[in-house]
Every structure is written in structure tokens, then in C-alpha cells.
Amino acid sequence: MTEEERLGTTHGDKAFDGLDYAKIVADLKDEIAVSTCPCAVLSSEIFSVMRHDSIERFGAAFSEFDVVPVLFVRNFPDYIDAIYQLLSITYRTSWSIEKCLSVYEGAFSLASRAEAWAAVAFDKRIRVINFDGIRERGVVDTFMREIGAPIGELLLNGKEERLLVSAPAYLVAIARALRQQGRKEEEIDKVLQGFSRLAVAEPQTNLPADIRHELKQKYLEQLALLRASRSVVGLEVNDRSEAVLAAIDNKVLVDDLAGAVMAISRALAAQNVKATARSSPETRAETLGSALRGRLSAVASRLRSLRQVLSATGQR
């Protein structure tokens, strides 16, 4: 799929349009055939937005395999937030929230898409995993365990950094404001790079409260449908995912340049407080040491004066 002659001019739901589907499938099967491994893993975001007819075509193309679908689901407000941030920062678009919602509306049909994938599965079931409930472990770790793959060095090569970290909402607001002013992308990149080093602890969002509420309700409805489906296995809503859903309503909205400036000010203030807290013991020790040195110096001076007095008295 990454070879130049196979790259399409569209993305998402229509990414296969204009491609030689039969050749891609044949080449993929040839690649699988030369392997001695008992299991082949195909992972792509395209699978999460494919139309039902595309899913049926996929199932027909791989009918000689025992297809085992694994689907990760994420609450819609955070999902759209992440997509919007990706489009604004990485792909440098000027899309509005409304356009983003209209383009990715198909991703909200979780239940029907899960049923479509279950229909091509060897046991007519689909494994569904709640992304919100496994954030601490990580999606890569969870997926590797789910398919029974060795984790070890395949995971993060011993590194501790998080994956799939979205850009802060204030960066998106800055980028959009600068694009609206007609600034060049090179200029915008420099500004964003300078601010990206700022640690932001507060939960931020680019989605207005009414949109967040609507998307949250849609997601809860889809979760209920997934849980009620006999084709779905493994879906769980644990304490962590419930906390993620509850926190959505309390996120700080950053939807313009003024909001971004305020967010930056709060982040700087929080960093100063933390820096002061971290350095307070040393600062207090240094201050105390300085005070003690001053007092000892004064005492020594008084002792010298007293010695001089006593010496003079003794001489008399």
C-alpha cells in the first residue's frame, strides 16, 4: 500500500478508490505465503471507517483465512478532538469543527460496523476493546497482548514515552488564528515549536460544550448497542473509562487566540508554582545558612571586641 504506484489520491472511506484492489490482495497473500508464521496481522485505520460493501469485499478476498476482527473504540468527543488537532497541526488544514464532524460522521456507526466485521469473522464475532479503559497500559501493549504477540522489545524498545499524544488545544487555536491572518506555514511552525515545550497539565478541548454533550450521548448510545449485540465480545467499561467520560464535561475550552493566551498564562503560572515548590527546601536551607553565617559573624565580632576589652583590662 505504501508503494508509490498504489497510493491513492483520497483518504479514509474512499482510500481504495482507483487502486488495483485485486493486485494488492494478491501481493499481500504472496507475502503471507512465504512466511512460516501461523498468524498474519493486518492493522490499519482504514478498517475503522470502511463501508459495509468494502468489508464484505475484504471478507470474500480472505475467505480462506480465519478472520478475527479486533476493534478499539474511543469516546466520540475525545476522538473528534484528536482528529481535529491532527488535521490542524500535522496536516495543516483550516477545517472547522463542523466540517470535521461531517467528514468523520461515518465513524460514529460503531454498532453497525462491528456487526459488518463480525459477519466476515470465522466465528461471526468481533473482539471490541475500550480505548478509554486501557490508557494507562497503552493501546500498543494491549493490542500486542490481545493477538498473543511477544511484547518485550517489540513494544517501545525499552523507552517510557507515551504514544498517541494529541497536541494541546491551545496550539490548535494558535495555528488556526495565524492561518486566518495569512501567515506562512513556516512561521506558524516556528511559533508552535516554541510553545510546544510548555507543559500543560489542565485538560483542554477545542470542542464547545454543546458538541461535546451531543457526541458523548451518541457514544453512550453506541456503547449500549455494542453491549447488547451477541456478535461483540470483550467490551468492558471500567472505572478508568467512566472517569474519562466524566472528565469530558470539565475540560477547558480553548477555541480562539484569547483562550490560547489565557491557557499559556495558566500553564506558566502552574510551572512557576511547581518550580517554587521544588526549590523551596533548598531555598530555605540557603536562606537559613546565610542567616546563620551572618549571626556567627556578628558573634565572632563581638567575641573579638570582648577579647580586646578583657586584654586591655588585664593589662591594667
PDB file of all heavy atoms in Angstrom, residues 38-43 47 58-59 62-71 114 117-129 143 146-148 231 233:
ATOM      1  N   PRO A  38       2.154 -18.632  11.896  1.00  0.00           N
ATOM      2  CA  PRO A  38       0.787 -19.157  11.808  1.00  0.00           C
ATOM      3  C   PRO A  38      -0.283 -18.080  11.735  1.00  0.00           C
ATOM      4  O   PRO A  38      -1.445 -18.379  11.478  1.00  0.00           O
ATOM      5  CB  PRO A  38       0.644 -19.959  13.101  1.00  0.00           C
ATOM      6  CG  PRO A  38       1.526 -19.229  14.072  1.00  0.00           C
ATOM      7  CD  PRO A  38       2.703 -18.745  13.272  1.00  0.00           C
ATOM      8  N   CYS A  39       0.102 -16.822  11.977  1.00  0.00           N
ATOM      9  CA  CYS A  39      -0.894 -15.755  12.053  1.00  0.00           C
ATOM     10  C   CYS A  39      -0.379 -14.505  11.348  1.00  0.00           C
ATOM     11  O   CYS A  39       0.787 -14.129  11.512  1.00  0.00           O
ATOM     12  CB  CYS A  39      -1.214 -15.442  13.513  1.00  0.00           C
ATOM     13  SG  CYS A  39      -2.393 -14.103  13.745  1.00  0.00           S
ATOM     14  N   ALA A  40      -1.229 -13.880  10.566  1.00  0.00           N
ATOM     15  CA  ALA A  40      -0.902 -12.611   9.913  1.00  0.00           C
ATOM     16  C   ALA A  40      -1.768 -11.523  10.529  1.00  0.00           C
ATOM     17  O   ALA A  40      -2.967 -11.712  10.714  1.00  0.00           O
ATOM     18  CB  ALA A  40      -1.149 -12.691   8.414  1.00  0.00           C
ATOM     19  N   VAL A  41      -1.157 -10.404  10.839  1.00  0.00           N
ATOM     20  CA  VAL A  41      -1.877  -9.293  11.470  1.00  0.00           C
ATOM     21  C   VAL A  41      -1.932  -8.118  10.509  1.00  0.00           C
ATOM     22  O   VAL A  41      -0.901  -7.623  10.063  1.00  0.00           O
ATOM     23  CB  VAL A  41      -1.190  -8.861  12.781  1.00  0.00           C
ATOM     24  CG1 VAL A  41      -1.970  -7.705  13.418  1.00  0.00           C
ATOM     25  CG2 VAL A  41      -1.078 -10.023  13.750  1.00  0.00           C
ATOM     26  N   LEU A  42      -3.132  -7.687  10.187  1.00  0.00           N
ATOM     27  CA  LEU A  42      -3.331  -6.508   9.343  1.00  0.00           C
ATOM     28  C   LEU A  42      -3.906  -5.405  10.219  1.00  0.00           C
ATOM     29  O   LEU A  42      -4.966  -5.577  10.805  1.00  0.00           O
ATOM     30  CB  LEU A  42      -4.300  -6.816   8.198  1.00  0.00           C
ATOM     31  CG  LEU A  42      -3.979  -8.023   7.320  1.00  0.00           C
ATOM     32  CD1 LEU A  42      -5.021  -8.153   6.211  1.00  0.00           C
ATOM     33  CD2 LEU A  42      -2.585  -7.916   6.724  1.00  0.00           C
ATOM     34  N   SER A  43      -3.207  -4.284  10.285  1.00  0.00           N
ATOM     35  CA  SER A  43      -3.658  -3.184  11.134  1.00  0.00           C
ATOM     36  C   SER A  43      -3.694  -1.907  10.319  1.00  0.00           C
ATOM     37  O   SER A  43      -2.696  -1.526   9.713  1.00  0.00           O
ATOM     38  CB  SER A  43      -2.718  -3.015  12.331  1.00  0.00           C
ATOM     39  OG  SER A  43      -3.114  -1.923  13.134  1.00  0.00           O
ATOM     40  N   PHE A  47      -9.616   0.340   8.183  1.00  0.00           N
ATOM     41  CA  PHE A  47     -10.601  -0.664   8.579  1.00  0.00           C
ATOM     42  C   PHE A  47     -11.709  -0.062   9.454  1.00  0.00           C
ATOM     43  O   PHE A  47     -12.831  -0.556   9.462  1.00  0.00           O
ATOM     44  CB  PHE A  47      -9.931  -1.808   9.335  1.00  0.00           C
ATOM     45  CG  PHE A  47      -8.992  -2.630   8.476  1.00  0.00           C
ATOM     46  CD1 PHE A  47      -7.830  -3.166   9.011  1.00  0.00           C
ATOM     47  CD2 PHE A  47      -9.272  -2.858   7.144  1.00  0.00           C
ATOM     48  CE1 PHE A  47      -6.978  -3.923   8.230  1.00  0.00           C
ATOM     49  CE2 PHE A  47      -8.424  -3.615   6.350  1.00  0.00           C
ATOM     50  CZ  PHE A  47      -7.261  -4.150   6.891  1.00  0.00           C
ATOM     51  N   PHE A  58     -13.641  -7.390   1.485  1.00  0.00           N
ATOM     52  CA  PHE A  58     -12.455  -7.851   2.210  1.00  0.00           C
ATOM     53  C   PHE A  58     -12.663  -9.287   2.682  1.00  0.00           C
ATOM     54  O   PHE A  58     -11.769 -10.138   2.540  1.00  0.00           O
ATOM     55  CB  PHE A  58     -12.190  -6.937   3.411  1.00  0.00           C
ATOM     56  CG  PHE A  58     -11.046  -7.387   4.273  1.00  0.00           C
ATOM     57  CD1 PHE A  58      -9.753  -6.937   4.037  1.00  0.00           C
ATOM     58  CD2 PHE A  58     -11.244  -8.263   5.337  1.00  0.00           C
ATOM     59  CE1 PHE A  58      -8.689  -7.358   4.831  1.00  0.00           C
ATOM     60  CE2 PHE A  58     -10.191  -8.681   6.133  1.00  0.00           C
ATOM     61  CZ  PHE A  58      -8.912  -8.228   5.876  1.00  0.00           C
ATOM     62  N   GLY A  59     -13.823  -9.552   3.257  1.00  0.00           N
ATOM     63  CA  GLY A  59     -14.109 -10.901   3.739  1.00  0.00           C
ATOM     64  C   GLY A  59     -14.059 -11.934   2.634  1.00  0.00           C
ATOM     65  O   GLY A  59     -13.557 -13.047   2.819  1.00  0.00           O
ATOM     66  N   PHE A  62     -10.430 -12.750   1.562  1.00  0.00           N
ATOM     67  CA  PHE A  62      -9.646 -13.523   2.530  1.00  0.00           C
ATOM     68  C   PHE A  62     -10.481 -14.650   3.140  1.00  0.00           C
ATOM     69  O   PHE A  62     -10.294 -15.020   4.299  1.00  0.00           O
ATOM     70  CB  PHE A  62      -9.124 -12.602   3.625  1.00  0.00           C
ATOM     71  CG  PHE A  62      -8.074 -11.639   3.155  1.00  0.00           C
ATOM     72  CD1 PHE A  62      -8.429 -10.400   2.646  1.00  0.00           C
ATOM     73  CD2 PHE A  62      -6.730 -11.983   3.177  1.00  0.00           C
ATOM     74  CE1 PHE A  62      -7.475  -9.511   2.184  1.00  0.00           C
ATOM     75  CE2 PHE A  62      -5.765 -11.110   2.725  1.00  0.00           C
ATOM     76  CZ  PHE A  62      -6.131  -9.868   2.216  1.00  0.00           C
ATOM     77  N   SER A  63     -11.365 -15.201   2.333  1.00  0.00           N
ATOM     78  CA  SER A  63     -12.281 -16.225   2.841  1.00  0.00           C
ATOM     79  C   SER A  63     -11.568 -17.505   3.254  1.00  0.00           C
ATOM     80  O   SER A  63     -12.087 -18.274   4.065  1.00  0.00           O
ATOM     81  CB  SER A  63     -13.343 -16.544   1.787  1.00  0.00           C
ATOM     82  OG  SER A  63     -12.722 -16.978   0.576  1.00  0.00           O
ATOM     83  N   GLU A  64     -10.358 -17.768   2.695  1.00  0.00           N
ATOM     84  CA  GLU A  64      -9.644 -18.984   3.076  1.00  0.00           C
ATOM     85  C   GLU A  64      -8.919 -18.850   4.414  1.00  0.00           C
ATOM     86  O   GLU A  64      -8.335 -19.809   4.911  1.00  0.00           O
ATOM     87  CB  GLU A  64      -8.647 -19.379   1.978  1.00  0.00           C
ATOM     88  CG  GLU A  64      -7.441 -18.453   1.832  1.00  0.00           C
ATOM     89  CD  GLU A  64      -7.668 -17.340   0.824  1.00  0.00           C
ATOM     90  OE1 GLU A  64      -8.808 -16.846   0.745  1.00  0.00           O
ATOM     91  OE2 GLU A  64      -6.713 -16.951   0.132  1.00  0.00           O
ATOM     92  N   PHE A  65      -8.952 -17.628   5.004  1.00  0.00           N
ATOM     93  CA  PHE A  65      -8.329 -17.382   6.299  1.00  0.00           C
ATOM     94  C   PHE A  65      -9.393 -17.358   7.397  1.00  0.00           C
ATOM     95  O   PHE A  65     -10.566 -17.089   7.138  1.00  0.00           O
ATOM     96  CB  PHE A  65      -7.596 -16.034   6.305  1.00  0.00           C
ATOM     97  CG  PHE A  65      -6.390 -15.979   5.425  1.00  0.00           C
ATOM     98  CD1 PHE A  65      -6.501 -15.684   4.068  1.00  0.00           C
ATOM     99  CD2 PHE A  65      -5.119 -16.220   5.946  1.00  0.00           C
ATOM    100  CE1 PHE A  65      -5.391 -15.633   3.249  1.00  0.00           C
ATOM    101  CE2 PHE A  65      -3.997 -16.169   5.137  1.00  0.00           C
ATOM    102  CZ  PHE A  65      -4.133 -15.880   3.778  1.00  0.00           C
ATOM    103  N   ASP A  66      -8.973 -17.656   8.617  1.00  0.00           N
ATOM    104  CA  ASP A  66      -9.848 -17.481   9.783  1.00  0.00           C
ATOM    105  C   ASP A  66      -9.718 -16.030  10.237  1.00  0.00           C
ATOM    106  O   ASP A  66      -8.818 -15.686  11.013  1.00  0.00           O
ATOM    107  CB  ASP A  66      -9.450 -18.431  10.914  1.00  0.00           C
ATOM    108  CG  ASP A  66      -9.754 -19.883  10.585  1.00  0.00           C
ATOM    109  OD1 ASP A  66     -10.648 -20.119   9.759  1.00  0.00           O
ATOM    110  OD2 ASP A  66      -9.089 -20.772  11.145  1.00  0.00           O
ATOM    111  N   VAL A  67     -10.582 -15.178   9.743  1.00  0.00           N
ATOM    112  CA  VAL A  67     -10.515 -13.746  10.047  1.00  0.00           C
ATOM    113  C   VAL A  67     -10.996 -13.495  11.472  1.00  0.00           C
ATOM    114  O   VAL A  67     -12.084 -13.936  11.861  1.00  0.00           O
ATOM    115  CB  VAL A  67     -11.365 -12.930   9.055  1.00  0.00           C
ATOM    116  CG1 VAL A  67     -11.338 -11.447   9.422  1.00  0.00           C
ATOM    117  CG2 VAL A  67     -10.870 -13.141   7.641  1.00  0.00           C
ATOM    118  N   VAL A  68     -10.178 -12.785  12.257  1.00  0.00           N
ATOM    119  CA  VAL A  68     -10.512 -12.459  13.647  1.00  0.00           C
ATOM    120  C   VAL A  68     -10.437 -10.939  13.802  1.00  0.00           C
ATOM    121  O   VAL A  68      -9.355 -10.383  14.006  1.00  0.00           O
ATOM    122  CB  VAL A  68      -9.541 -13.133  14.640  1.00  0.00           C
ATOM    123  CG1 VAL A  68      -9.939 -12.812  16.081  1.00  0.00           C
ATOM    124  CG2 VAL A  68      -9.493 -14.632  14.405  1.00  0.00           C
ATOM    125  N   PRO A  69     -11.551 -10.233  13.698  1.00  0.00           N
ATOM    126  CA  PRO A  69     -11.513  -8.768  13.813  1.00  0.00           C
ATOM    127  C   PRO A  69     -11.314  -8.313  15.265  1.00  0.00           C
ATOM    128  O   PRO A  69     -11.890  -8.882  16.191  1.00  0.00           O
ATOM    129  CB  PRO A  69     -12.898  -8.325  13.313  1.00  0.00           C
ATOM    130  CG  PRO A  69     -13.512  -9.545  12.694  1.00  0.00           C
ATOM    131  CD  PRO A  69     -12.897 -10.712  13.393  1.00  0.00           C
ATOM    132  N   VAL A  70     -10.468  -7.298  15.433  1.00  0.00           N
ATOM    133  CA  VAL A  70     -10.255  -6.661  16.742  1.00  0.00           C
ATOM    134  C   VAL A  70     -10.479  -5.161  16.553  1.00  0.00           C
ATOM    135  O   VAL A  70      -9.812  -4.526  15.731  1.00  0.00           O
ATOM    136  CB  VAL A  70      -8.837  -6.910  17.279  1.00  0.00           C
ATOM    137  CG1 VAL A  70      -8.643  -6.207  18.625  1.00  0.00           C
ATOM    138  CG2 VAL A  70      -8.572  -8.403  17.412  1.00  0.00           C
ATOM    139  N   LEU A  71     -11.412  -4.600  17.301  1.00  0.00           N
ATOM    140  CA  LEU A  71     -11.775  -3.186  17.147  1.00  0.00           C
ATOM    141  C   LEU A  71     -11.568  -2.421  18.445  1.00  0.00           C
ATOM    142  O   LEU A  71     -12.031  -2.844  19.499  1.00  0.00           O
ATOM    143  CB  LEU A  71     -13.244  -3.067  16.719  1.00  0.00           C
ATOM    144  CG  LEU A  71     -13.840  -1.658  16.665  1.00  0.00           C
ATOM    145  CD1 LEU A  71     -13.212  -0.848  15.541  1.00  0.00           C
ATOM    146  CD2 LEU A  71     -15.352  -1.721  16.482  1.00  0.00           C
ATOM    147  N   ALA A 114     -19.375  -2.826  13.549  1.00  0.00           N
ATOM    148  CA  ALA A 114     -18.948  -4.022  14.284  1.00  0.00           C
ATOM    149  C   ALA A 114     -19.697  -5.257  13.787  1.00  0.00           C
ATOM    150  O   ALA A 114     -19.112  -6.334  13.623  1.00  0.00           O
ATOM    151  CB  ALA A 114     -19.177  -3.826  15.780  1.00  0.00           C
ATOM    152  N   TRP A 117     -18.228  -6.367  10.456  1.00  0.00           N
ATOM    153  CA  TRP A 117     -16.963  -7.093  10.604  1.00  0.00           C
ATOM    154  C   TRP A 117     -17.196  -8.477  11.205  1.00  0.00           C
ATOM    155  O   TRP A 117     -16.516  -9.444  10.838  1.00  0.00           O
ATOM    156  CB  TRP A 117     -15.990  -6.298  11.469  1.00  0.00           C
ATOM    157  CG  TRP A 117     -15.215  -5.278  10.693  1.00  0.00           C
ATOM    158  CD1 TRP A 117     -15.337  -3.918  10.744  1.00  0.00           C
ATOM    159  CD2 TRP A 117     -14.194  -5.538   9.729  1.00  0.00           C
ATOM    160  NE1 TRP A 117     -14.466  -3.320   9.876  1.00  0.00           N
ATOM    161  CE2 TRP A 117     -13.745  -4.295   9.241  1.00  0.00           C
ATOM    162  CE3 TRP A 117     -13.609  -6.709   9.239  1.00  0.00           C
ATOM    163  CZ2 TRP A 117     -12.750  -4.182   8.283  1.00  0.00           C
ATOM    164  CZ3 TRP A 117     -12.614  -6.602   8.276  1.00  0.00           C
ATOM    165  CH2 TRP A 117     -12.185  -5.352   7.799  1.00  0.00           C
ATOM    166  N   ALA A 118     -18.117  -8.573  12.128  1.00  0.00           N
ATOM    167  CA  ALA A 118     -18.427  -9.879  12.719  1.00  0.00           C
ATOM    168  C   ALA A 118     -18.935 -10.845  11.651  1.00  0.00           C
ATOM    169  O   ALA A 118     -18.690 -12.057  11.718  1.00  0.00           O
ATOM    170  CB  ALA A 118     -19.461  -9.728  13.834  1.00  0.00           C
ATOM    171  N   ALA A 119     -19.619 -10.321  10.650  1.00  0.00           N
ATOM    172  CA  ALA A 119     -20.175 -11.167   9.593  1.00  0.00           C
ATOM    173  C   ALA A 119     -19.098 -11.848   8.761  1.00  0.00           C
ATOM    174  O   ALA A 119     -19.339 -12.923   8.192  1.00  0.00           O
ATOM    175  CB  ALA A 119     -21.083 -10.333   8.692  1.00  0.00           C
ATOM    176  N   VAL A 120     -17.896 -11.238   8.672  1.00  0.00           N
ATOM    177  CA  VAL A 120     -16.813 -11.850   7.896  1.00  0.00           C
ATOM    178  C   VAL A 120     -15.840 -12.611   8.777  1.00  0.00           C
ATOM    179  O   VAL A 120     -14.862 -13.181   8.281  1.00  0.00           O
ATOM    180  CB  VAL A 120     -16.057 -10.787   7.064  1.00  0.00           C
ATOM    181  CG1 VAL A 120     -17.017 -10.037   6.160  1.00  0.00           C
ATOM    182  CG2 VAL A 120     -15.297  -9.819   7.972  1.00  0.00           C
ATOM    183  N   ALA A 121     -16.073 -12.615  10.103  1.00  0.00           N
ATOM    184  CA  ALA A 121     -15.206 -13.336  11.033  1.00  0.00           C
ATOM    185  C   ALA A 121     -15.473 -14.835  10.957  1.00  0.00           C
ATOM    186  O   ALA A 121     -16.588 -15.262  10.646  1.00  0.00           O
ATOM    187  CB  ALA A 121     -15.428 -12.840  12.457  1.00  0.00           C
ATOM    188  N   PHE A 122     -14.479 -15.646  11.268  1.00  0.00           N
ATOM    189  CA  PHE A 122     -14.637 -17.094  11.151  1.00  0.00           C
ATOM    190  C   PHE A 122     -15.660 -17.630  12.145  1.00  0.00           C
ATOM    191  O   PHE A 122     -16.338 -18.626  11.880  1.00  0.00           O
ATOM    192  CB  PHE A 122     -13.278 -17.792  11.345  1.00  0.00           C
ATOM    193  CG  PHE A 122     -12.910 -18.062  12.774  1.00  0.00           C
ATOM    194  CD1 PHE A 122     -13.089 -19.326  13.317  1.00  0.00           C
ATOM    195  CD2 PHE A 122     -12.393 -17.051  13.586  1.00  0.00           C
ATOM    196  CE1 PHE A 122     -12.752 -19.579  14.639  1.00  0.00           C
ATOM    197  CE2 PHE A 122     -12.054 -17.309  14.893  1.00  0.00           C
ATOM    198  CZ  PHE A 122     -12.233 -18.576  15.432  1.00  0.00           C
ATOM    199  N   ASP A 123     -15.795 -16.959  13.311  1.00  0.00           N
ATOM    200  CA  ASP A 123     -16.768 -17.405  14.307  1.00  0.00           C
ATOM    201  C   ASP A 123     -17.938 -16.435  14.446  1.00  0.00           C
ATOM    202  O   ASP A 123     -18.721 -16.518  15.398  1.00  0.00           O
ATOM    203  CB  ASP A 123     -16.091 -17.594  15.667  1.00  0.00           C
ATOM    204  CG  ASP A 123     -15.474 -16.300  16.199  1.00  0.00           C
ATOM    205  OD1 ASP A 123     -15.473 -15.291  15.446  1.00  0.00           O
ATOM    206  OD2 ASP A 123     -15.004 -16.289  17.352  1.00  0.00           O
ATOM    207  N   LYS A 124     -18.023 -15.489  13.482  1.00  0.00           N
ATOM    208  CA  LYS A 124     -19.105 -14.496  13.465  1.00  0.00           C
ATOM    209  C   LYS A 124     -19.114 -13.608  14.714  1.00  0.00           C
ATOM    210  O   LYS A 124     -20.161 -13.148  15.164  1.00  0.00           O
ATOM    211  CB  LYS A 124     -20.479 -15.173  13.312  1.00  0.00           C
ATOM    212  CG  LYS A 124     -20.577 -16.063  12.086  1.00  0.00           C
ATOM    213  CD  LYS A 124     -20.229 -15.283  10.816  1.00  0.00           C
ATOM    214  CE  LYS A 124     -20.254 -16.197   9.582  1.00  0.00           C
ATOM    215  NZ  LYS A 124     -19.790 -15.488   8.354  1.00  0.00           N
ATOM    216  N   ARG A 125     -17.918 -13.340  15.227  1.00  0.00           N
ATOM    217  CA  ARG A 125     -17.799 -12.463  16.391  1.00  0.00           C
ATOM    218  C   ARG A 125     -16.670 -11.462  16.180  1.00  0.00           C
ATOM    219  O   ARG A 125     -15.770 -11.682  15.364  1.00  0.00           O
ATOM    220  CB  ARG A 125     -17.527 -13.269  17.665  1.00  0.00           C
ATOM    221  CG  ARG A 125     -18.698 -14.127  18.101  1.00  0.00           C
ATOM    222  CD  ARG A 125     -18.475 -14.655  19.501  1.00  0.00           C
ATOM    223  NE  ARG A 125     -19.671 -15.317  20.015  1.00  0.00           N
ATOM    224  CZ  ARG A 125     -19.831 -15.665  21.294  1.00  0.00           C
ATOM    225  NH1 ARG A 125     -18.879 -15.431  22.169  1.00  0.00           N
ATOM    226  NH2 ARG A 125     -20.931 -16.252  21.687  1.00  0.00           N
ATOM    227  N   ILE A 126     -16.743 -10.383  16.925  1.00  0.00           N
ATOM    228  CA  ILE A 126     -15.706  -9.370  16.859  1.00  0.00           C
ATOM    229  C   ILE A 126     -15.274  -9.013  18.275  1.00  0.00           C
ATOM    230  O   ILE A 126     -16.102  -8.872  19.184  1.00  0.00           O
ATOM    231  CB  ILE A 126     -16.190  -8.103  16.116  1.00  0.00           C
ATOM    232  CG1 ILE A 126     -15.072  -7.040  16.084  1.00  0.00           C
ATOM    233  CG2 ILE A 126     -17.467  -7.527  16.726  1.00  0.00           C
ATOM    234  CD1 ILE A 126     -15.398  -5.848  15.200  1.00  0.00           C
ATOM    235  N   ARG A 127     -13.978  -8.890  18.470  1.00  0.00           N
ATOM    236  CA  ARG A 127     -13.415  -8.501  19.762  1.00  0.00           C
ATOM    237  C   ARG A 127     -13.366  -6.978  19.830  1.00  0.00           C
ATOM    238  O   ARG A 127     -12.730  -6.330  18.980  1.00  0.00           O
ATOM    239  CB  ARG A 127     -12.010  -9.079  19.913  1.00  0.00           C
ATOM    240  CG  ARG A 127     -11.290  -8.696  21.180  1.00  0.00           C
ATOM    241  CD  ARG A 127     -11.808  -9.446  22.368  1.00  0.00           C
ATOM    242  NE  ARG A 127     -11.006  -9.192  23.561  1.00  0.00           N
ATOM    243  CZ  ARG A 127     -11.310  -9.645  24.765  1.00  0.00           C
ATOM    244  NH1 ARG A 127     -12.395 -10.382  24.926  1.00  0.00           N
ATOM    245  NH2 ARG A 127     -10.558  -9.388  25.797  1.00  0.00           N
ATOM    246  N   VAL A 128     -14.042  -6.372  20.797  1.00  0.00           N
ATOM    247  CA  VAL A 128     -14.080  -4.912  20.938  1.00  0.00           C
ATOM    248  C   VAL A 128     -13.389  -4.520  22.237  1.00  0.00           C
ATOM    249  O   VAL A 128     -13.681  -5.081  23.299  1.00  0.00           O
ATOM    250  CB  VAL A 128     -15.529  -4.381  20.932  1.00  0.00           C
ATOM    251  CG1 VAL A 128     -15.540  -2.866  21.114  1.00  0.00           C
ATOM    252  CG2 VAL A 128     -16.222  -4.749  19.619  1.00  0.00           C
ATOM    253  N   ILE A 129     -12.472  -3.574  22.150  1.00  0.00           N
ATOM    254  CA  ILE A 129     -11.696  -3.120  23.311  1.00  0.00           C
ATOM    255  C   ILE A 129     -11.933  -1.630  23.510  1.00  0.00           C
ATOM    256  O   ILE A 129     -11.874  -0.845  22.558  1.00  0.00           O
ATOM    257  CB  ILE A 129     -10.194  -3.377  23.108  1.00  0.00           C
ATOM    258  CG1 ILE A 129      -9.947  -4.887  22.910  1.00  0.00           C
ATOM    259  CG2 ILE A 129      -9.384  -2.869  24.298  1.00  0.00           C
ATOM    260  CD1 ILE A 129      -8.528  -5.218  22.529  1.00  0.00           C
ATOM    261  N   PHE A 143      -2.921  -4.223  22.405  1.00  0.00           N
ATOM    262  CA  PHE A 143      -3.121  -4.906  21.128  1.00  0.00           C
ATOM    263  C   PHE A 143      -2.175  -6.101  20.997  1.00  0.00           C
ATOM    264  O   PHE A 143      -2.576  -7.189  20.557  1.00  0.00           O
ATOM    265  CB  PHE A 143      -2.912  -3.932  19.975  1.00  0.00           C
ATOM    266  CG  PHE A 143      -3.090  -4.549  18.618  1.00  0.00           C
ATOM    267  CD1 PHE A 143      -4.343  -5.000  18.208  1.00  0.00           C
ATOM    268  CD2 PHE A 143      -2.023  -4.685  17.750  1.00  0.00           C
ATOM    269  CE1 PHE A 143      -4.516  -5.583  16.954  1.00  0.00           C
ATOM    270  CE2 PHE A 143      -2.192  -5.254  16.503  1.00  0.00           C
ATOM    271  CZ  PHE A 143      -3.440  -5.706  16.108  1.00  0.00           C
ATOM    272  N   GLU A 146      -3.426  -8.838  23.063  1.00  0.00           N
ATOM    273  CA  GLU A 146      -4.679  -9.365  22.530  1.00  0.00           C
ATOM    274  C   GLU A 146      -4.438 -10.388  21.425  1.00  0.00           C
ATOM    275  O   GLU A 146      -5.132 -11.398  21.344  1.00  0.00           O
ATOM    276  CB  GLU A 146      -5.532  -8.214  22.002  1.00  0.00           C
ATOM    277  CG  GLU A 146      -6.900  -8.619  21.510  1.00  0.00           C
ATOM    278  CD  GLU A 146      -7.783  -9.179  22.607  1.00  0.00           C
ATOM    279  OE1 GLU A 146      -7.635  -8.753  23.768  1.00  0.00           O
ATOM    280  OE2 GLU A 146      -8.617 -10.049  22.299  1.00  0.00           O
ATOM    281  N   ILE A 147      -3.452 -10.131  20.570  1.00  0.00           N
ATOM    282  CA  ILE A 147      -3.191 -11.043  19.458  1.00  0.00           C
ATOM    283  C   ILE A 147      -2.163 -12.109  19.828  1.00  0.00           C
ATOM    284  O   ILE A 147      -1.803 -12.940  18.984  1.00  0.00           O
ATOM    285  CB  ILE A 147      -2.712 -10.274  18.211  1.00  0.00           C
ATOM    286  CG1 ILE A 147      -1.363  -9.584  18.473  1.00  0.00           C
ATOM    287  CG2 ILE A 147      -3.754  -9.253  17.780  1.00  0.00           C
ATOM    288  CD1 ILE A 147      -0.784  -8.900  17.240  1.00  0.00           C
ATOM    289  N   GLY A 148      -1.698 -12.082  21.085  1.00  0.00           N
ATOM    290  CA  GLY A 148      -0.759 -13.104  21.525  1.00  0.00           C
ATOM    291  C   GLY A 148       0.640 -12.930  20.996  1.00  0.00           C
ATOM    292  O   GLY A 148       1.413 -13.890  20.933  1.00  0.00           O
ATOM    293  N   SER A 231     -22.779 -10.492  18.824  1.00  0.00           N
ATOM    294  CA  SER A 231     -21.575 -10.640  18.000  1.00  0.00           C
ATOM    295  C   SER A 231     -20.346 -10.024  18.659  1.00  0.00           C
ATOM    296  O   SER A 231     -19.220 -10.282  18.234  1.00  0.00           O
ATOM    297  CB  SER A 231     -21.791  -9.985  16.625  1.00  0.00           C
ATOM    298  OG  SER A 231     -22.899 -10.541  15.965  1.00  0.00           O
ATOM    299  N   VAL A 233     -17.729  -9.332  21.713  1.00  0.00           N
ATOM    300  CA  VAL A 233     -17.163  -9.915  22.930  1.00  0.00           C
ATOM    301  C   VAL A 233     -16.053  -9.010  23.433  1.00  0.00           C
ATOM    302  O   VAL A 233     -15.398  -8.313  22.663  1.00  0.00           O
ATOM    303  CB  VAL A 233     -16.602 -11.331  22.680  1.00  0.00           C
ATOM    304  CG1 VAL A 233     -17.721 -12.291  22.320  1.00  0.00           C
ATOM    305  CG2 VAL A 233     -15.536 -11.320  21.597  1.00  0.00           C
TER     306      VAL A 233
END
